[in-house]
Amino acid sequence: MSGRSICYCINERETLIFDGASFVKTDTAKAKKEFCAAVVPPEHIRSHTFKLPAQTDEERLDTLVEITMFEGGGLDLEKEYAIAYVKHVLDFESSWLIEAFAVEHSKLEELFGPIAAKTAHLDLLAVPYLSYEALYRFDKADTNRTDLFLYLSEEASFAVLCKGGRYIAHRNLPSLESIAAGANVSVEVVKDTLRKRGLESDLYGPDELLLIERLQDAFSKIVERVAQSVNHKRGVFGIKGVDTVYLDFEQSEIPGLWDLIDSYGFEESTKGVLSCCESLEPAEQHRGVEALYMLAAKEGKLDAPNLTIFEKRPGFLQTHTGRFVAAVTAAALLTAGYALVKEGELGTLERENSELTSRLDTLKQRAAQLRATLGQEKLQLDAVQKRLDQSRQRVLAFEETADAALLIEESKLRRRKMIGDVDRALAAYGLFAASMEQNGSRRVEVEILSSYAGRDRIAKFMKAMIGRGYGSVGTEAIQLDEDLYSSRVEIVR
């Protein structure tokens, strides 16, 4: 089973061996010597995006990420978390854009503790949004393109944006279970209906108006959220457009979905159904993407952020304690043997005594080496403890700024609402923002692009923002450049 394969752990009863093309069921207990991995469900992950100086060294970066997650990410100081992160280079700033992910230790123990008890380790607990990077590492997607992946499943749905073969953003979306609950039908009915009739109203009967209405409303909100996320990342990552939109829904299409996506500005994007491995059944295609990601991590094709707390432990005799106990046991056995030899072979006592003395000296030297090694380990442990105490002091210091943080959060909410109003107005009139600059929570400047045919939408956009209660909405002269209108609109609360 070793070699080019991984163990995909589903639960404590089921483990799959993946060789890069297909799955084979195996006994969980037999996976102890293999590379074992699983995926953390999205609903248990807390994520937070922020910037840190690009010149920060790796050790300090880890500390700053942890502190920032407690300060700005809303983590509870009384709980322990597994924290991992991805970092992006910003073209026009000397900063890293950090997206960090955190999961409570207690939740990981609840979800994966029973599995780890059988496999003895979980080498990788992966962040699900990053799994599409595996497609680029195994030449199943073009690294020169910007791709949007739309994943729909019963328990969780999300959209992922990749550029240049790397993950850059995600957006959590309503699950099919929540959509089914809203339509008062089962999940299987929703899945079957989406595959056969999708969002096409003329394919539904008069007694199914409620069902099609709920489905159309749910997917309109899904596509709107996805379009907002893409617009937010345009200026940050220099995205000119989305080259390909992939639907990851058990290798099925949804009639009418592409038309809905086109209405939000994706007319030029290529659309298609995701298929990662030809030998896998349609229902296994997304699991195949995740398994490819685990395999790429094992083979060193990518650096996977890891949320595991179940690392493989060294054997007892490989630890300092194990080696020390072995030395003491050996000394005890030698001493006992010496006593027996003394009784039975008195004539050779002097020779045996000399040999044992020599061996004892050797053991003393090894014991001295062990003590020196243990002393070094203690110094390192003390240094780590000192850094930990310093980190705790910094975290405690953040408590003194809690009141200020509340004011900041209130300001963030006002800023987010303002950006959200702008995004909705842009989407409503099919406009795109080339850039968006926000000054505080009262003022936003948006550079809007429009084709010649849609040049009047800029004025409609401004009127819409006034209608939303903004006191001042003004613009400089609208400019025409090669059939493309642009205008810088200033919006003041």
Side-chain angles (χ1 to χ4, degrees):
M1 229 191 309
S2 59
R4 195 175 191 270
S5 64
I6 57 97
C7 290
Y8 186 123
C9 298
I10 308 300
N11 52 49
E12 66 271 25
R13 298 177 301 279
E14 183 180 6
T15 299
L16 304 176
I17 298 298
F18 181 74
D19 61 2
S22 60
F23 290 108
V24 177
K25 290 186 178 181
T26 188
D27 187 278
T28 304
K30 295 180 180 179
K32 291 184 177 181
K33 296 182 179 180
E34 306 301 323
F35 182 92
C36 298
V39 178
V40 180
E43 62 267 25
H44 302 301
I45 298 176
R46 301 182 67 169
S47 62
H48 182 49
T49 303
F50 50 92
K51 294 180 182 179
L52 289 176
Q55 60 271 24
T56 307
D57 63 77
E58 289 297 327
E59 183 176 350
R60 178 164 172 76
L61 184 62
D62 291 343
T63 302
L64 289 177
V65 168
E66 182 174 351
I67 291 174
T68 305
M69 283 298 288
F70 278 94
E71 176 195 8
L75 302 188
D76 190 340
L77 292 172
E78 300 299 321
K79 298 179 180 179
E80 288 187 284
Y81 295 85
I83 299 175
Y85 61 91
V86 292
K87 59 183 180 181
H88 305 281
V89 179
L90 298 179
D91 294 336
F92 304 105
E93 296 185 36
S94 59
S95 302
W96 294 112
L97 182 65
I98 306 293
E99 183 172 5
F101 309 94
V103 185
E104 292 182 25
H105 278 200
S106 60
K107 181 55 66 174
L108 293 177
E109 289 284 359
E110 176 187 334
L111 294 172
F112 302 106
I115 305 173
K118 288 194 172 184
T119 63
H121 60 94
L122 282 173
D123 301 284
L124 172 64
L125 285 182
V127 178
Y129 316 118
L130 277 65
S131 59
Y132 293 106
E133 285 192 359
L135 299 176
Y136 303 96
R137 304 302 182 271
F138 291 104
D139 299 324
K140 297 178 181 292
D142 189 348
T143 57
N144 297 316
R145 300 170 71 86
T146 298
D147 300 320
L148 176 64
F149 299 89
L150 184 60
Y151 171 59
L152 303 175
S153 77
E154 298 180 15
E155 296 83 8
S157 299
F158 51 79
V160 170
L161 191 62
C162 292
K163 179 185 178 185
R166 285 204 63 199
Y167 161 89
I168 59 175
H170 77 276
R171 183 70 180 264
N172 286 322
L173 302 171
S175 67
L176 295 181
E177 283 185 347
S178 66
I179 295 175
N184 198 28
V185 295
S186 69
V187 173
E188 290 305 321
V189 168
V190 167
K191 292 171 68 174
D192 187 62
T193 301
L194 288 175
R195 291 191 190 99
K196 295 178 179 178
R197 293 178 289 173
L199 309 178
E200 300 284 0
S201 300
D202 55 354
L203 299 179
Y204 290 78
D207 58 337
E208 297 177 304
L209 295 180
L210 177 60
L211 177 59
I212 180 58
E213 179 183 338
R214 294 295 171 83
L215 290 177
Q216 288 179 338
D217 181 63
F219 276 87
S220 293
K221 292 178 180 178
I222 286 174
V223 176
E224 180 180 7
R225 292 179 186 178
V226 172
Q228 289 175 356
S229 297
V230 172
N231 281 331
H232 281 159
K233 301 302 178 182
R234 285 182 185 274
V236 177
F237 292 100
I239 299 174
K240 295 181 180 179
V242 173
D243 296 304
T244 309
V245 180
Y246 290 100
L247 176 61
D248 187 0
F249 176 49
E250 298 183 356
Q251 218 170 355
S252 299
E253 286 195 355
I254 298 177
L257 178 60
W258 298 141
D259 292 335
L260 177 61
I261 289 178
D262 284 346
S263 69
Y264 279 84
F266 296 92
E267 301 94 334
E268 303 299 322
S269 304
T270 303
K271 287 88 176 175
V273 173
L274 182 67
S275 176
C276 72
C277 299
E278 294 181 357
S279 59
L280 295 181
E281 295 295 325
E284 294 181 320
Q285 289 296 324
H286 183 74
R287 183 169 286 174
V289 174
E290 295 175 336
L292 282 173
Y293 182 77
M294 298 169 185
L295 184 60
K298 176 191 175 183
E299 296 182 348
K301 295 180 182 294
L302 50 77
D303 185 13
N306 197 349
L307 293 168
T308 190
I309 59 173
F310 307 101
E311 296 88 350
K312 184 179 295 184
R313 297 178 180 178
F316 178 72
L317 291 179
Q318 294 176 315
T319 66
H320 292 299
T321 302
R323 290 194 291 269
F324 183 76
V325 169
V328 172
T329 302
L333 291 174
L334 287 172
T335 302
Y338 173 70
L340 293 174
V341 170
K342 182 177 179 181
E343 291 180 4
E345 301 178 3
L346 294 176
T348 59
L349 178 60
E350 185 175 355
R351 179 175 58 83
E352 294 292 339
N353 182 64
S354 177
E355 290 178 357
L356 288 174
T357 300
S358 177
R359 293 178 183 180
L360 184 58
D361 289 340
T362 301
L363 287 174
K364 288 180 178 179
Q365 292 176 1
R366 293 180 61 188
Q369 293 174 354
L370 285 173
R371 283 194 294 270
T373 302
L374 289 173
Q376 293 176 357
E377 294 288 343
K378 185 177 185 305
L379 289 175
Q380 294 178 6
L381 179 61
D382 291 341
V384 171
Q385 184 62 46
K386 183 178 180 181
R387 290 198 298 270
L388 180 60
D389 291 341
Q390 292 173 347
S391 297
R392 286 174 176 169
Q393 290 175 3
R394 287 194 294 269
V395 171
L396 290 174
F398 287 129
E399 294 181 353
E400 298 178 2
T401 62
D403 292 338
L406 289 174
L407 295 176
I408 292 173
E409 286 299 320
E410 291 178 0
S411 175
K412 286 181 180 177
L413 289 174
R414 292 196 294 270
R415 293 174 65 181
R416 290 172 186 163
K417 182 182 182 303
M418 198 170 188
I419 290 296
D421 289 343
V422 172
D423 281 338
R424 284 188 285 273
L426 287 172
Y429 296 102
L431 297 171
F432 292 95
S435 65
M436 190 181 300
E437 298 178 5
Q438 186 170 22
N439 184 4
S441 60
R442 297 182 57 82
R443 180 174 172 273
V444 169
E445 287 190 4
V446 186
E447 185 176 353
I448 301 176
L449 300 180
S450 175
S451 65
Y452 177 82
R455 61 192 181 280
D456 62 327
R457 298 179 183 175
I458 298 176
K460 293 179 179 179
F461 164 80
M462 295 171 61
K463 184 175 180 182
M465 293 306 296
I466 293 174
R468 291 177 182 270
Y470 291 92
S472 174
V473 181
T475 181
E476 299 176 0
I478 299 176
Q479 298 179 355
L480 176 64
D481 183 8
E482 298 183 358
D483 196 35
L484 188 66
Y485 279 83
S486 67
S487 178
R488 194 169 187 84
V489 178
E490 181 184 64
I491 305 166
V492 180
R493 185 183 296 276

